Amino acid sequence: MIDLVWLIPLLPFIGFLINGLGRNVLPKPLIGTIASLAVIGSFAISLSIFLTFDAAQPQVIHLFDWINVGTLSIPFAFQIDQLSIMMLLIITGIGSLIHIYSAGYMSHDAGFGKFFAYLNLFVFFMLLLVMGSNYVIMFIGWEGVGLCSYLLIGFWYANGAYADAAKKAFIMNRIGDLGFLLGVFLIISTFGSVSFTEIFPKAAGMVSGDATLVLITILLFIGATGKSAQLPLFTWLPDAMAGPTPVSALIHAATMVTAGIYMIARSNILFALSPVTLDIIAVVGLLTAVVAAFIALTQTDIKKVLAYSTVSQLGYMFLGLGVGAFTGAFFHVLTHAFFKALLFLGAGSVIHAMSNEQDMRNMGGLRKKLPITFLTMLIGTIAIAGLPPFAGFFSKDEILAHVYEHNKLLWVIGLFGAFLTAAYMFRMMFLTFWGNFRGTEDQKHHLHESPVSMTFPLIVLAILSMVGGFMGVPHALGGHHWLNEYLSPVLAATNNILPALSLDHATEYMLMGISVGGVIISIIIAYVKYVSKGYVPKEEELQSGINKLSYNKLYLDELYTAIIQKPLDALSAFFFKVVDKSGIDGLVNGLGKVSIEASKTLRLLQTGNVGFYIFAMVIGIVAVLVYSFIII
């Protein structure tokens, strides 16, 4: 099946072409079917490769020669190994479910065909990103998903706020992309190649802490902060909720925001030899995880809670990378894809039933009206909170165990963030599904469970959220951590450099006990507050005390506006009014006016008198002779 690997990205691209060209003529059911089958076909091939691939070395499939400049040769080729296979399964598997869900969710939208064309194009670029055998192809996919996120976030562009959100995502990602691009240039300068199979063996022979490697990895990490929404470049992601909910699920769970983690995991040997960069990644990831969790505590928009939750969980993944737990970080990418896609699609089901209402203060008591949505979202919430044996428990605790061994202070802060996660996620569940209904009468009459096309993906993702963690059961609990074993060929060189987890079982049990105990206490506190006491946050309460800081997102947007946007606006105004209008325009217009006035005078010389013309010619010849004499 590996010979058919080129079909994996090609099928979604064909779906994009058919739906893009036929969006105004093809019937909606056919558009949805074509788009979904394109991704399902890619998933089937990916699954076949997963079941048959057993090579210890990466397989490079050369498609054609592409760029040859001097000694630099960049082929267009795909690399298949354990890491890319796992990403292919996530992108195409969860992407298929999101396509099926979208067929129901977007059925009444006038831009149905355009939406699915964009969705297929997004999947195509994401597949290029993970399949590329070198950094240049990865960068094409990297930029491609950025473009598609702009198109999808601003899908309802007639709404000015949504269009602004799309522009914000596009611009903030470009800031990070500059770092990535500079990192690639430095890689070319250092290794004379961009191919992974040439760079990584050379890098493995370099000394730990090499200044060039540190600079390369810092530049690559800057790229990752933009794409994976880390401090200080994370504020675009919550605003990306402006797009249709399936887009949120695709971007936040299965594709774009995990690109930064994938890129670092792919380049693991470079980072393993750069301990300074790893420390920076750990601190940035931890701060992002806790800050985003703090903001999520008071948000009232159900999608915004999930958005900040995504930022926070991405922070945990970076924390894992920073302490050298590459498998743990990637494990959390996998489990997070299951339960976050589930939670976003569940939120979409709630919004669908509530006639586009997203404020949880206007919901309540939806358990009986939306039983499948409720049960599946509850499973997703338990999974992300980290209760055993659901998926998030295994992956998050593996990261925290590595952090404990690395630095106790980081572990305490990370653990605190985990408790906050349980608090804000169950706050969301209690406000939405418990208590009395607080919406309007029209909304109450409209309440209904979503169609099968929407509930089927929820059920599949709920099952994955329950059992997905068993791919990484630690030895302390009697498992053998299949994922760690599966990824070992990709991480072999790194595993020789970074120390393996060496905690004894008693310590691991203690860490698990503290984590689970704290999560349960957080859930009980949330239950007492939002269910027993029936508390519903009021606007004036959210605008006072520490709530004000959290509710207003630490005023980070306002801070960026003050220190970046306004100075740039002032600089732009200066260049427009002074340099452009008064300087360049003044010079060009002045020259024009001089020409006009001069021609008004000179035209008076055109008298038609031949004698005058001969006199002028003689004067001219004399002037030329005098000039020549002076020059010589």
Side-chain angles (χ1 to χ4, degrees), residues 8 18 56 87 184 209 233 273 292 302 390 392 448 516 539 567 611 619:
I8 295 176
I18 295 174
M87 285 300 293
V184 173
L233 301 176
L273 291 168
I302 188 170
F390 292 74
H448 61 279
V516 173
E539 191 66 27
I619 294 296

Side-chain angles (χ1 to χ4, degrees), residues 118-443:
Y118 289 165
L119 218 55
N120 272 174
L121 187 64
F122 192 105
V123 172
F124 163 73
F125 277 121
M126 191 65 201
L127 291 170
L128 269 190
L129 193 157
V130 301
M131 294 175 68
S133 68
N134 58 63
Y135 283 105
V136 176
I137 297 177
M138 179 188 278
F139 188 72
I140 292 174
W142 190 275
E143 289 300 304
V145 294
L147 168 67
C148 292
S149 70
Y150 167 76
L151 296 172
L152 287 166
I153 293 168
F155 184 73
W156 292 315
Y157 60 86
N159 184 317
Y162 293 179
D164 288 343
K167 286 186 283 186
K168 184 177 181 180
F170 190 79
I171 292 170
M172 293 197 83
N173 270 279
R174 297 293 78 72
I175 297 171
D177 292 351
L178 177 62
F180 185 16
L181 201 55
L182 292 174
V184 173
F185 287 148
L186 191 53
I187 286 173
I188 294 173
S189 167
T190 306
F191 298 99
S193 174
V194 290
S195 295
F196 302 140
T197 51
E198 294 182 20
I199 294 170
F200 298 155
K202 291 180 182 176
M206 300 173 75
V207 296
S208 179
D210 181 275
T212 305
L213 281 183
V214 171
L215 184 56
I216 288 173
T217 51
I218 287 177
L219 289 170
L220 294 180
F221 175 59
I222 291 172
T225 57
K227 197 64 72 184
S228 295
Q230 296 296 287
L231 278 170
L233 301 176
F234 78 88
T235 57
W236 67 268
L237 197 143
D239 287 1
M241 295 299 98
T245 301
V247 172
S248 306
L250 191 62
I251 293 177
H252 284 232
T255 56
M256 181 170 154
V257 296
T258 62
I261 293 100
Y262 168 77
M263 184 261 283
I264 293 177
R266 169 61 72 200
S267 316
N268 60 83
I269 184 62
L270 304 181
F271 285 86
L273 291 168
S274 308
V276 174
T277 310
L278 288 182
D279 287 340
I280 295 172
I281 293 174
V283 172
V284 171
L286 182 64
L287 288 175
T288 304
V290 176
V291 165
F294 173 68
I295 295 174
L297 280 173
T298 55
Q299 299 306 304
T300 53
D301 184 318
I302 188 170
K303 286 178 68 177
K304 285 287 178 69
V305 175
L306 295 177
Y308 282 105
S309 165
T310 298
V311 175
S312 180
Q313 297 305 306
L314 291 170
Y316 278 107
M317 295 171 204
F318 276 96
L319 175 61
L321 293 172
V323 298
F326 285 90
T327 301
F330 192 72
F331 187 16
H332 204 51
V333 169
L334 294 175
T335 59
H336 181 260
F338 300 150
F339 51 69
K340 189 49 63 69
L342 165 62
L343 289 166
F344 267 113
L345 296 185
S349 182
V350 170
I351 295 167
H352 178 75
M354 289 291 298
S355 306
N356 297 320
E357 176 64 73
Q358 294 185 200
D359 193 328
M360 296 181 295
R361 292 172 295 184
N362 299 326
M363 298 179 185
L366 300 183
R367 279 179 298 167
K368 294 180 180 177
K369 294 290 185 181
L370 311 174
I372 298 176
T373 301
F374 163 66
L375 282 174
T376 52
M377 283 193 74
L378 181 61
I379 291 169
T381 302
I382 294 172
I384 194 174
L387 288 177
F390 292 74
F393 165 74
F394 295 105
S395 55
K396 192 185 295 182
D397 269 41
E398 181 173 338
I399 291 174
L400 288 174
H402 279 271
V403 175
Y404 177 84
E405 190 172 58
H406 186 79
N407 185 300
K408 303 295 185 292
L409 177 61
L410 296 184
W411 173 75
V412 170
I413 300 172
L415 193 65
F416 176 66
F419 298 162
L420 294 183
T421 302
Y424 68 70
M425 286 306 301
F426 273 89
R427 169 182 179 270
M428 182 195 78
M429 287 298 295
F430 294 145
L431 282 174
T432 303
F433 293 102
W434 267 264
N436 298 318
F437 184 70
R438 299 180 295 274
T440 65
E441 283 301 314
D442 285 344
Q443 288 172 331

Side-chain angles (χ1 to χ4, degrees), residues 47-68:
L47 186 62
S48 299
I49 293 175
F50 167 72
L51 295 173
T52 56
F53 188 85
D54 59 356
Q57 297 298 320
Q59 303 294 301
V60 177
I61 295 89
H62 181 94
L63 298 180
F64 53 85
D65 293 331
W66 186 29
I67 298 173
N68 289 296

